[in-house]
Amino acid sequence: MNFNFTKYFSALLILFFIFINAKKIDLHSIEEEIIQYNREGKHKLSQKKLSDILLNGDLTKEEEGNILFLMATTYRSVNDYMMCIEYLNRSNSIARQLPPDNILRMKIDYEYAFVYFDNNDYEKAEEAMKRIASKNYVNAFPEDNSYILMQEGYLFMIKKKYNEAEKKYYEAMDIMENANTCNVPIVYVKLMNLYGKRKDIGKAEEAYKESMQISDSCNILKYKILASSEMEKIYKENNLFAKAYLIGSKLDSLRRLENQDVKISEMHIVDKALTEKEQIIKEESDIWKRTVVLIVLILLSVLIAYYFFRKNKKIKKDRLRMKEEIEQMKEELNQYSQNSSDEKILNPELDLLLNSNKLTDRQKDLLILLADGLSNKEIAEKLFISENTVKYHTKNIYNILDIKDRKDFFKKLRNN
């Protein structure tokens, strides 16, 4: 009887644990939190939260793909476009296994267009935008469509196709007015830039006035600064220095207000921390509840650990691998601003390559280690990144410098 009771009780606990872990995470809330962190410049908090979710494991394919996607958007927000694309590729490999109508596949396509555009890779951005157009997405985020149209307008503008650019901007405005009126000032700033190129100061001033009115009504300081900065630039480019001086004074006042907003925001953060601390103290007062929960969790953990150890060792290996990759990613983020500029470069050709404006600082670091003859594994250990990341960066370096492979690279160095 005791044996049967133990057996059934253990089975019940296992089913309970599986049920708890099978519950989906709230992707919508997580995405909103990550967007908020990134807007406030708290990118490390975003990275930590997403890393913790990945480390916890037990994610569905859709959940893992979405978390990797949010990691990509976090990297784009700090202008690390190569890492953004790497995480997008990882997310995309999972998304391709999901149903064709899964919204993640659409979000990834849009993000590719945005990151290529931000990285000034307009050719790939155009390809991504054409792919989006060909799929006729019914986008749950119409603002994304508005941003795509603004990108298309900008591409027309740099080709001096001003009429086509203006048409795209007004299409973007129609969508944005219905989706989020408070973001319409972004479109007006694009129009101001266009009118400045056409030397149509009157229209630029009208767009500036409309942008400021909406920004005032929505109380969005950053849009006021953006519009005023663009108008000041237009006045200066057209030798209207008196008007530039007046709007410059207004811009200085707005920037002072922006600093005040930062201080207020910091105060709100401290207040929130205090509130959370009070909540923790209140929760800790319920000692008996915590004790029961702790006992149940320990029992469940022991049973599940034994179950999965016997049934599936692969899960443990996969989690260990994921943990190592995440830890490497954390180290890379902490070491990102460090470089090897103190190393002495003796080879003239290598020195010439390192002075190229085509390479990023991170790529130059890797190039020095390549020239030292280090293997991919050794480079990964020195830079605190994975071997896959080393291969990815190396391939991009070779493409930029028109080098076939490592043998061709050393041949180029020896010839000088």
Side-chain angles (χ1 to χ4, degrees):
M1 184 70 177
N2 290 336
F3 173 79
N4 288 335
F5 174 80
T6 303
K7 182 176 68 174
Y8 290 130
F9 179 72
S10 299
L12 181 62
L13 288 177
I14 290 172
L15 290 173
F16 176 75
F17 185 82
I18 293 173
F19 172 76
I20 293 297
N21 283 275
K23 288 166 54 176
K24 288 188 176 182
I25 61 176
D26 190 346
L27 287 172
H28 179 70
S29 296
I30 293 171
E31 183 173 10
E32 287 188 339
E33 188 174 357
I34 296 303
I35 290 172
Q36 186 64 28
Y37 279 153
N38 291 343
R39 283 177 178 172
E40 295 174 356
K42 302 175 184 177
H43 306 101
K44 285 190 176 181
L45 287 179
S46 295
Q47 184 250 358
K48 182 180 184 305
K49 182 174 184 66
L50 296 173
S51 298
D52 288 344
I53 294 173
L54 289 172
L55 282 171
N56 286 337
D58 295 324
L59 298 174
T60 66
K61 285 296 182 182
E62 182 176 6
E63 289 168 346
E64 184 181 359
N66 274 279
I67 297 302
L68 291 170
F69 170 79
L70 292 175
M71 190 74 84
T73 62
T74 297
Y75 273 109
R76 182 165 72 89
S77 67
V78 293
N79 301 326
D80 188 346
Y81 303 125
M82 294 186 71
M83 287 301 295
C84 172
I85 292 171
E86 181 173 333
Y87 272 93
L88 268 184
N89 290 340
R90 290 175 61 184
S91 178
N92 191 43
S93 67
I94 294 174
R96 297 307 122 184
Q97 303 172 37
L98 301 175
D101 61 346
N102 189 281
I103 195 170
L104 176 62
R105 300 178 68 163
M106 178 192 69
K107 289 162 68 176
I108 289 172
D109 282 339
Y110 275 92
E111 189 64 20
Y112 273 125
F114 296 148
V115 68
Y116 286 136
F117 189 87
D118 289 349
N119 199 29
N120 299 325
D121 194 342
Y122 298 130
E123 184 176 341
K124 287 187 178 179
E126 277 192 283
E127 290 176 4
M129 289 188 282
K130 287 178 182 177
R131 185 166 62 249
I132 290 169
S134 69
K135 292 184 179 180
N136 296 316
Y137 282 129
V138 179
N139 196 342
F141 310 97
E143 288 176 70
D144 285 347
N145 288 332
S146 180
Y147 289 126
I148 288 291
L149 288 169
M150 281 188 269
Q151 289 185 181
E152 291 175 352
Y154 182 82
L155 294 176
F156 278 129
M157 190 181 70
I158 61 178
K159 296 174 185 176
K160 297 186 178 180
K161 297 181 178 180
Y162 298 135
N163 290 336
E164 290 90 337
E166 185 176 24
K167 182 180 177 182
K168 289 292 181 182
Y169 287 152
Y170 274 106
E171 288 177 12
M173 185 177 294
D174 288 340
I175 294 174
M176 194 66 82
E177 284 177 339
N178 292 320
N180 189 345
T181 305
C182 289
N183 279 336
V184 170
I186 299 174
V187 190
Y188 276 117
V189 172
K190 294 290 184 184
L191 285 168
M192 289 166 60
N193 182 256
L194 170 64
Y195 295 143
K197 297 291 184 185
R198 290 165 57 172
K199 307 295 182 183
D200 193 338
I201 307 302
K203 281 193 173 183
E205 289 174 333
E206 289 177 9
Y208 170 69
K209 182 179 178 181
E210 293 291 336
S211 176
M212 293 298 285
Q213 286 179 347
I214 297 173
S215 298
D216 277 329
S217 64
C218 294
N219 195 28
I220 303 179
L221 182 59
K222 67 178 181 178
Y223 289 162
K224 295 180 189 179
I225 294 173
L226 184 65
S228 299
S229 179
E230 182 65 30
M231 198 67 241
E232 182 187 38
K233 184 180 74 172
I234 292 170
Y235 282 145
K236 288 180 178 178
E237 288 174 350
N238 290 274
N239 299 321
L240 298 172
F241 297 112
K243 289 187 174 183
Y245 174 78
L246 290 174
I247 203 167
S249 299
K250 183 175 184 178
L251 189 57
D252 290 339
S253 299
L254 290 172
R255 283 172 176 157
R256 282 194 293 272
L257 287 173
E258 184 180 36
N259 292 334
Q260 184 179 356
D261 280 354
V262 171
K263 292 178 182 178
I264 293 172
S265 177
E266 290 174 349
M267 291 172 65
H268 288 175
I269 292 169
V270 173
D271 182 70
K272 182 180 178 182
L274 291 173
T275 303
E276 291 175 349
K277 187 175 181 180
E278 290 174 355
Q279 182 64 27
I280 291 172
I281 293 173
K282 181 180 178 182
E283 290 174 355
E284 289 178 345
S285 66
D286 301 327
I287 297 175
W288 70 270
K289 291 182 181 179
R290 288 184 170 274
T291 303
V292 171
V293 170
L294 182 61
I295 292 172
V296 171
L297 287 176
I298 291 174
L299 181 58
L300 291 176
S301 297
V302 171
L303 290 172
I304 290 301
Y306 177 75
Y307 175 82
F308 280 105
F309 178 78
R310 293 293 303 272
K311 295 294 183 180
N312 198 344
K313 290 184 178 180
K314 186 177 180 300
I315 291 178
K316 183 178 179 181
K317 292 180 180 179
D318 289 344
R319 287 181 177 174
L320 191 59
R321 173 184 57 77
M322 182 179 289
K323 182 175 181 179
E324 290 172 352
E325 289 182 358
I326 295 302
E327 290 299 329
Q328 288 174 348
M329 185 272 293
K330 288 181 177 179
E331 288 295 329
E332 180 184 354
L333 194 62
N334 291 331
Q335 296 292 331
Y336 184 78
S337 61
Q338 298 180 3
N339 56 59
S340 56
S341 58
D342 294 334
E343 297 184 27
K344 191 174 181 181
I345 309 302
L346 300 177
N347 188 291
E349 177 64 13
L350 182 58
D351 188 48
L352 181 63
L353 294 176
L354 290 173
N355 288 328
S356 170
N357 292 329
K358 296 179 181 178
L359 297 179
T360 65
D361 290 341
R362 194 60 165 170
Q363 290 171 334
K364 291 176 182 179
D365 293 346
L366 198 145
L367 192 65
I368 292 172
L369 298 177
L370 283 173
D372 288 341
L374 271 66
S375 66
N376 287 344
K377 183 178 179 181
E378 291 171 331
I379 293 173
E381 291 173 352
K382 278 186 170 291
L383 297 182
F384 302 99
I385 58 178
S386 67
E387 286 189 59
N388 286 336
T389 302
V390 173
K391 292 176 183 178
Y392 179 82
H393 288 323
T394 302
K395 181 180 177 182
N396 283 323
I397 291 172
Y398 287 166
N399 288 337
I400 292 170
L401 300 178
D402 195 24
I403 295 172
K404 296 179 182 177
D405 50 27
R406 192 172 293 207
K407 181 178 178 181
D408 187 32
F409 172 62
F410 284 109
K411 182 179 178 183
K412 184 182 287 289
L413 295 183
R414 287 196 299 273
N415 289 339
N416 290 273

